[in-house]
Amino acid sequence: MSVQEYLDKHMLSRKIEDAVNAAVRAKTSDPVLFISNHMRKAVPSMITKIKARQILDSRGIPTVEVDLHTNKGVFRASVPSGDSSGTYEAVELRDGDKGMYLGNSVMKAVKNINEKISEALIGMDPKLQSQIDQAMIDLDKTEKKGELGANAILAVSVAACKAGAAEKEVPLYKHIADLSGRTSLALPVPAFTVLSGGKHAVNNLAIQEIMIVPVGAGRFEEALQMGSETYHHLKAVITEKYGALECNVGEDGGLAPNISSLKEGLDLVKEAINRTGYNEKIKIAIDVAATNLCIGTKYDLDFKSPNKSGQNFKSGDDMIDMYKELCAEYPIISIEDPFDREDWEHTKYFSGLGLCQVVGDDLLMSNPKRIERAIQESACNALLLKVNQIGTVTEAIEVVKLARDAHWGVVTSNRCGETEDTFISDLSVGLATGLFKAGAPARGERVIKYNQLLRIEEELGDQAVYVGEDWKQSL
Ligand code: PGA
Ligand code: ZN
C-alpha cells in the first residue's frame, strides 16, 4: 500500500485537519501533545509493518521470528519446532536446500511473511485476532497451511496477539482470556521434565520424559522452587549412583543418564522427591511418546539400541500391564501418548481403566478432527496443546474449547526446539489450562517460560489463583 493509499484509506488528511482545528479551539498550551492524543483516538489502531527474519531455535536449527509494527510499538514473536511431526498437523515450511543449514533453513516462510502476509495484513486492527488469522488462512488456501507455512502464519498470529493486548492496554494473558470469552485466569501447575529419554536424549531410555508435578504447592512460585530443588537433588542422586558424567541433559533440559528402563528412571525421581521432603506434594507424569517405539503391532523398549534383539518387545496388552504396575507403585497422575498414535484400541482401553489422566499428544496432534474422534470414542481425557501444530491463536483457542466442553484436562506444551518467546505462558494463564509443560526448570529457553509465570503471578497479586490440586479439570 502506498503512503497516499494508506492516508486515503483511513481519511488521515481530514482527521489531521480536524485535530488542528480542535487544538486551536481549545487554545491548548501544548498543541503537539493535544493533536497526537486526538489522532490516537481518531485513527483506528493498525498494523503498519511486518518484518520477518530467520533465527535459531534452542537446538541450533533455523526458525521464524517476526516483528509486527503498530501505532503502539513493535511486537516480536518466534515459533518453536519439535521432533514429533505427523500427517495431521500444520505444515512447517522448510527450504530443503541441503547447502543451507542442512536443508532446515526457513527463508521461504520468511519471504512469505515479508511479502504476501505483510501485504494482506497491513492496515488491519491488531485487536481483531480472528479476522487476522482468517485472512492468513484464506491467503494460504490449503488445509494444513502448506502454502505459506504454519511457521510463517503462527509467528504473525502470535505477534498480532501481543500487539492486540498492547492496543487494549491490558496484559497479554488478559487479552487471550477475552478472545476466548473467559473471565477467570489461573496459574497452571508446571510439569517439569527432570529426566529425558526417547528422541530427546542420547541414552538408552525409550520413554521420552519423566516429569514432576508439584500439585501440592500453594502458589506457582512455590511450585517452581519445588521443581528446581527436586531437579538438583536428582542430579545428586544420579551422580552418587552412576557418576557425574551421567548428568548430561536432553533437548528439553531433563537429565539424561544412560539408564534403559522406565522403572529405573522412576526410582531415581522418587528418591530425589524423597530428599526434598515435599513427598506427597509432588506427583509424577510421563510422556511415553510411544509412536516412536512402535514397530508394527509391538512396542520396542530398546528402540534406540543398535542391536535390536527383539527381547524387549512388548504387545499393547503388555504395555497396559506395565502401566498398571507402575501406577500402583509410583505417584503417577498423568501419562501422555501411552500407545502409538494409531493404536486407538489400547489407548481407549487404558483410558477406561481410570488409573490416571491420559493425554493425547501425537494421538491428537492438536487437530480438531482427531480431538472430536477421541472425544466420541473416549480415547483419552486430556489435550496436549502445541500451538504450532495448529498454526493460529484463534484455532488454538478453539481446540481448547473443544477439550473443555468434553470435560478434558488441557496441558499447554512447549516443543523440544524452543525460542526465547514466552507466549505459551500467557496463553496458559489466559485459557486457565490445568498443566503447563515447558521442559526442565533449567536452560534458558525453558526457564524463560516459567519465569514469565512467576511475573504474572506477582502482577495478579491477591487475584492470582494457582490451579494446584484442581489441575485435572481446567477451571
Ligand atoms: P516434541 O516433543 O516437541 O519433540 O514434539 C514434545 C512432546 O512430545 O510433548
Ligand atoms: Zn508428547
Side-chain angles (χ1 to χ4, degrees):
M1 194 185 297
S2 70
V3 173
Q4 191 58 56
E5 282 168 345
Y6 179 82
L7 292 171
D8 290 348
K9 182 173 176 195
H10 298 287
M11 295 181 294
L12 287 182
S13 310
R14 168 83 193 280
K15 283 176 183 163
I16 292 168
E17 212 179 301
D18 289 349
V20 172
N21 290 336
V24 171
R25 278 200 305 277
K27 297 192 178 97
T28 170
S29 58
D30 191 345
V32 174
L33 183 67
F34 184 96
I35 293 168
S36 75
N37 282 342
H38 195 94
M39 289 303 291
R40 201 161 286 147
K41 282 183 211 135
V43 178
S45 62
M46 69 184 101
I47 298 169
T48 53
K49 181 178 164 187
I50 303 176
K51 169 85 179 75
R53 66 182 67 84
Q54 175 172 282
I55 60 163
L56 293 185
D57 72 16
S58 57
R59 303 165 303 175
I61 295 176
T63 189
V64 179
E65 176 175 271
V66 70
D67 287 348
L68 183 141
H69 299 239
T70 72
N71 328 31
K72 277 266 158 60
V74 184
F75 303 90
R76 179 167 291 168
S78 51
V79 297
S81 169
D83 276 341
S84 60
S85 59
T87 25
Y88 298 93
E89 66 182 77
V91 175
E92 184 180 77
L93 195 62
R94 294 206 180 266
D95 302 336
D97 170 359
K98 294 282 175 213
M100 283 267 287
Y101 288 100
L102 313 168
N104 288 317
S105 59
V106 290
M107 294 310 292
K108 282 184 200 158
V110 165
K111 191 165 183 274
N112 286 341
I113 295 177
N114 289 340
E115 294 175 3
K116 296 180 188 160
I117 294 180
S118 186
E119 200 188 312
L121 301 194
I122 284 179
M124 286 186 81
D125 180 345
K127 297 195 296 301
L128 306 178
Q129 186 73 40
S130 62
Q131 289 181 24
I132 289 170
D133 290 342
Q134 194 57 49
M136 290 191 282
I137 290 168
D138 293 345
L139 191 64
D140 181 87
K141 294 192 185 74
T142 67
E143 202 192 327
K144 291 191 283 172
K145 305 183 175 68
E147 183 60 33
L148 298 171
N151 39 355
I153 293 177
L154 181 65
V156 176
S157 180
V158 169
C161 193
K162 294 177 183 178
E167 205 56 55
K168 281 161 64 180
E169 298 182 356
V170 298
L172 180 55
Y173 54 84
K174 173 76 175 60
H175 177 47
I176 294 167
D178 291 348
L179 290 173
S180 76
R182 298 180 58 80
T183 46
S184 51
L185 306 166
L187 272 299
V189 177
F192 298 108
T193 307
V194 290
L195 256 180
S196 294
K199 280 192 174 180
H200 289 180
V202 186
N203 57 9
N204 279 325
L205 182 64
I207 272 72
Q208 189 173 281
E209 292 167 57
I210 301 180
M211 292 164 270
I212 50 162
V213 194
V215 295
R219 293 166 49 77
F220 178 81
E221 187 184 15
E222 201 186 319
L224 189 61
Q225 184 183 336
M226 289 179 176
S228 163
E229 289 175 12
T230 312
Y231 184 75
H232 289 287
H233 277 298
L234 182 61
K235 211 174 204 173
V237 172
I238 292 170
T239 305
E240 284 162 29
K241 206 158 176 198
Y242 309 104
L245 290 181
E246 291 296 323
C247 289
N248 287 326
V249 296
E251 282 179 345
D252 36 21
L255 293 155
N258 194 20
I259 54 172
S260 50
S261 83
L262 175 54
K263 197 165 175 350
E264 207 177 339
L266 288 167
D267 282 334
L268 293 172
V269 172
K270 198 171 161 185
E271 171 62 17
I273 295 173
N274 283 343
R275 289 191 188 185
T276 63
Y278 296 125
N279 301 331
E280 286 304 303
K281 292 186 173 177
I282 301 180
K283 304 291 182 194
I284 292 176
I286 300 166
D287 181 4
V288 182
T291 302
N292 297 332
L293 332 179
C294 188
I295 299 179
T297 57
K298 299 270 185 210
Y299 292 90
D300 182 3
L301 289 172
D302 271 338
F303 88 101
K304 293 195 287 183
S305 99
N307 304 312
K308 287 212 175 75
S309 61
Q311 277 177 356
N312 217 351
F313 277 23
K314 285 192 184 295
S315 67
D317 290 349
D318 294 339
M319 293 291 277
I320 288 179
D321 290 342
M322 179 181 84
Y323 295 139
K324 275 187 188 164
E325 276 171 31
L326 295 177
C327 286
E329 195 174 342
Y330 302 92
I332 296 172
I333 57 166
S334 179
I335 301 184
E336 182 178 327
D337 286 339
F339 301 93
D340 177 60
R341 70 171 138 226
E342 298 307 337
D343 190 350
W344 289 82
E345 288 314 309
H346 284 104
T347 312
K348 237 155 62 178
Y349 179 78
F350 179 61
S351 213
L353 295 178
L355 297 176
C356 63
Q357 171 176 265
V358 178
V359 184
D361 171 12
D362 293 342
L363 178 79
L364 307 171
M365 288 171 256
S366 305
N367 176 301
K369 288 190 188 129
R370 304 267 301 183
I371 297 170
E372 268 158 14
R373 174 175 173 192
I375 291 170
Q376 265 163 25
E377 298 187 17
S378 304
C380 61
N381 47 39
L383 163 72
L384 193 89
L385 177 68
K386 285 173 169 170
V387 183
N388 75 319
Q389 286 187 329
I390 321 170
T392 64
V393 173
T394 305
E395 290 164 289
I397 291 172
E398 278 162 15
V399 294
V400 168
K401 276 189 194 150
L402 260 183
R404 186 166 275 131
D405 288 349
H407 306 290
W408 279 15
V410 180
V411 187
T412 304
S413 175
N414 73 159
R415 301 305 307 262
C416 65
E418 267 299 336
T419 72
E420 59 264 42
D421 199 307
T422 58
F423 178 75
I424 58 168
S425 309
D426 286 73
L427 184 75
S428 175
V429 174
L431 300 181
T433 70
L435 295 179
F436 178 83
K437 132 176 166 173
R443 326 307 303 176
E445 75 283 2
R446 314 291 152 186
V447 297
I448 194 169
K449 279 120 178 129
Y450 296 124
N451 289 342
Q452 173 69 359
L453 288 169
L454 269 186
R455 292 181 204 109
I456 295 175
E457 183 169 67
E458 181 187 289
E459 188 172 278
L460 286 171
D462 291 348
Q463 306 296 310
V465 175
Y466 175 65
V467 170
E469 301 285 357
D470 295 326
W471 58 274
K472 204 174 197 171
Q473 194 64 45
S474 35
L475 299 169

